[in-house]
Amino acid sequence: LHLSIRRQRQMCIRDRGKIAFSLERERRGEKMVITYKGKLEGDTITGTMVRPGRDGEKRSSDWVATRAE
């Protein structure tokens, strides 16, 4: 399975459907790293993303991606 992310980035899922990647973003001149982890099951990937919060503490959120038609 290949995933396409903005700016033509691609990755391949091979390890029993597990996926993990990080994106570096810049906002108001400050760089931050957002880390994504998930698992592919059928046409759906479910996972968690971790990013810096306003107070410097790490914040996490769950996410779900499904195959586009």
Side-chain angles (χ1 to χ4, degrees), residues 17-67:
K18 294 179 184 176
I19 180 174
F21 60 96
S22 297
L23 298 176
E24 186 175 283
R25 311 276 303 214
E26 188 171 332
R27 186 174 189 182
R28 297 184 184 128
E30 291 190 35
K31 290 184 180 181
M32 70 170 120
V33 176
I34 304 170
T35 303
Y36 295 82
K37 291 183 181 181
K39 182 163 177 131
L40 172 67
E41 292 185 29
D43 289 341
T44 304
I45 303 173
T46 55
T48 304
M49 71 176 219
V50 178
R51 67 194 179 288
R54 292 182 188 176
D55 56 4
E57 296 291 320
K58 291 184 178 182
R59 299 187 60 138
S60 65
S61 300
D62 294 333
W63 57 270
V64 176
T66 56
R67 182 183 303 268

